[in-house]
Coordinates of all heavy atoms in Angstrom, one line a residue:
L54 N 65.5 166.7 97.0 CA 65.1 166.5 98.3 C 66.2 166.8 99.3 O 66.0 167.4 100.4 CB 64.5 165.1 98.5 CG 63.1 164.9 97.9 CD1 62.7 163.4 98.0 CD2 62.0 165.8 98.5
V55 N 67.4 166.2 99.0 CA 68.5 166.4 99.9 C 68.9 167.9 100.0 O 69.1 168.4 101.1 CB 69.8 165.6 99.4 CG1 71.0 166.0 100.2 CG2 69.5 164.1 99.6
L56 N 68.9 168.6 98.9 CA 69.2 170.1 98.9 C 68.1 170.8 99.7 O 68.4 171.7 100.5 CB 69.3 170.6 97.5 CG 70.5 170.1 96.7 CD1 70.5 170.6 95.2 CD2 71.8 170.5 97.3
W57 N 66.9 170.5 99.4 CA 65.8 171.1 100.1 C 65.9 170.9 101.6 O 65.7 171.8 102.4 CB 64.5 170.5 99.6 CG 63.2 171.3 99.9 CD1 63.1 172.3 100.8 CD2 61.9 171.1 99.3 NE1 61.8 172.7 100.9 CE2 61.1 172.0 99.9 CE3 61.4 170.2 98.3 CZ2 59.7 172.1 99.6 CZ3 60.1 170.3 98.0 CH2 59.2 171.2 98.6
R58 N 66.2 169.7 102.0 CA 66.3 169.4 103.4 C 67.5 170.1 104.1 O 67.4 170.6 105.2 CB 66.5 167.8 103.6 CG 66.6 167.4 105.1 CD 65.3 167.5 105.8 NE 64.2 166.8 105.2 CZ 63.9 165.5 105.4 NH1 64.6 164.8 106.2 NH2 62.9 165.0 104.8
G59 N 68.7 170.1 103.4 CA 69.9 170.7 103.9 C 69.8 172.2 104.0 O 70.4 172.8 104.9
I60 N 69.2 172.9 103.0 CA 69.1 174.3 103.0 C 68.0 174.9 103.8 O 68.1 175.8 104.6 CB 69.1 174.8 101.6 CG1 70.3 174.4 100.8 CG2 68.9 176.3 101.5 CD1 70.3 174.7 99.3
L61 N 66.8 174.3 103.6 CA 65.6 174.9 104.3 C 65.0 173.9 105.3 O 64.0 174.3 106.0 CB 64.5 175.2 103.2 CG 64.9 176.3 102.2 CD1 63.8 176.4 101.2 CD2 65.2 177.6 102.9
G62 N 65.6 172.8 105.5 CA 65.1 171.8 106.5 C 63.7 171.3 106.1 O 63.0 170.8 106.9
G63 N 63.4 171.3 104.8 CA 62.1 170.8 104.3 C 62.2 169.7 103.3 O 63.1 169.0 103.1
G64 N 61.1 169.6 102.6 CA 60.9 168.6 101.5 C 59.5 168.5 101.2 O 58.6 169.3 101.8
I65 N 59.1 167.7 100.3 CA 57.7 167.6 99.9 C 56.9 167.1 101.1 O 55.8 167.7 101.5 CB 57.5 166.7 98.7 CG1 58.2 167.2 97.5 CG2 56.0 166.5 98.4 CD1 58.2 166.3 96.3
G66 N 57.4 166.0 101.7 CA 56.7 165.5 102.9 C 56.6 166.5 104.0 O 55.6 166.7 104.7
H67 N 57.7 167.1 104.3 CA 57.8 168.1 105.4 C 56.8 169.3 105.1 O 56.2 169.8 106.1 CB 59.2 168.6 105.6 CG 60.0 167.7 106.5 ND1 59.8 166.4 106.7 CD2 61.1 168.1 107.3 CE1 60.7 165.9 107.6 NE2 61.5 166.9 108.0
S68 N 56.8 169.7 103.9 CA 55.9 170.8 103.5 C 54.4 170.4 103.8 O 53.6 171.2 104.3 CB 56.1 171.2 102.1 OG 57.4 171.7 101.9
I69 N 54.1 169.2 103.4 CA 52.7 168.8 103.6 C 52.4 168.6 105.1 O 51.3 169.0 105.6 CB 52.4 167.5 102.8 CG1 52.5 167.8 101.3 CG2 51.0 166.9 103.1 CD1 52.4 166.5 100.4
M70 N 53.3 168.0 105.8 CA 53.1 167.7 107.2 C 53.4 168.9 108.1 O 53.3 168.7 109.4 CB 53.9 166.5 107.6 CG 53.6 165.2 106.8 SD 51.9 164.7 106.9 CE 51.8 164.2 108.6
R71 N 53.9 170.0 107.6 CA 54.3 171.2 108.3 C 55.4 170.9 109.3 O 55.3 171.2 110.5 CB 53.0 171.7 109.1 CG 51.9 172.0 108.2 CD 52.1 173.2 107.3 NE 52.4 174.4 108.1 CZ 53.0 175.5 107.5 NH1 53.3 175.5 106.2 NH2 53.2 176.6 108.3
L72 N 56.5 170.3 108.8 CA 57.6 170.0 109.6 C 58.9 170.6 109.1 O 58.9 171.1 108.0 CB 57.8 168.4 109.6 CG 56.7 167.6 110.1 CD1 57.0 166.1 109.9 CD2 56.3 167.9 111.5
R73 N 59.9 170.6 109.9 CA 61.2 171.1 109.5 C 62.3 170.4 110.2 O 62.2 170.2 111.5 CB 61.4 172.6 109.7 CG 62.6 173.2 109.0 CD 62.7 174.7 109.3 NE 61.6 175.5 109.1 CZ 61.2 176.0 107.9 NH1 61.9 175.6 106.8 NH2 60.1 176.7 107.7
S74 N 63.4 170.0 109.5 CA 64.5 169.3 110.2 C 65.6 170.3 110.5 O 65.9 171.1 109.6 CB 65.0 168.2 109.2 OG 64.1 167.2 109.1
I75 N 66.1 170.2 111.7 CA 67.2 171.1 112.1 C 68.3 170.4 112.8 O 68.1 169.2 113.3 CB 66.6 172.2 113.1 CG1 66.0 171.5 114.3 CG2 65.6 173.1 112.4 CD1 65.7 172.5 115.4
D76 N 69.5 171.0 112.8 CA 70.6 170.5 113.6 C 70.4 170.8 115.1 O 70.0 171.9 115.4 CB 71.9 171.2 113.1 CG 73.1 170.5 113.7 OD1 73.2 170.4 114.9 OD2 74.0 170.2 112.9
T77 N 70.5 169.8 115.9 CA 70.3 170.0 117.3 C 71.3 170.9 118.0 O 71.0 171.4 119.1 CB 70.2 168.6 118.1 OG1 71.5 168.0 117.9 CG2 69.1 167.8 117.6
I78 N 72.4 171.1 117.4 CA 73.4 172.0 118.0 C 73.2 173.4 117.6 O 73.2 174.3 118.4 CB 74.9 171.5 117.6 CG1 75.1 170.1 118.0 CG2 75.9 172.5 118.2 CD1 75.0 169.9 119.5
T79 N 73.1 173.7 116.2 CA 73.0 175.0 115.7 C 71.5 175.5 115.7 O 71.3 176.7 115.7 CB 73.6 175.1 114.3 OG1 72.8 174.3 113.4 CG2 75.0 174.7 114.3
G80 N 70.6 174.6 115.7 CA 69.2 175.0 115.6 C 68.8 175.4 114.2 O 67.7 176.0 114.0
L81 N 69.7 175.2 113.2 CA 69.4 175.5 111.8 C 69.4 174.3 110.9 O 69.9 173.2 111.3 CB 70.5 176.5 111.3 CG 70.6 177.8 112.0 CD1 71.8 178.6 111.5 CD2 69.3 178.7 111.8

Side-chain angles (χ1 to χ4, degrees):
L54 288 172
V55 169
L56 292 175
W57 195 346
R58 182 68 59 87
I60 297 174
L61 297 176
I65 297 175
H67 272 28
S68 295
I69 294 174
M70 303 299 293
R71 303 292 300 165
L72 304 176
R73 194 182 306 280
S74 292
I75 59 172
D76 189 307
T77 56
I78 301 298
T79 65
L81 297 173

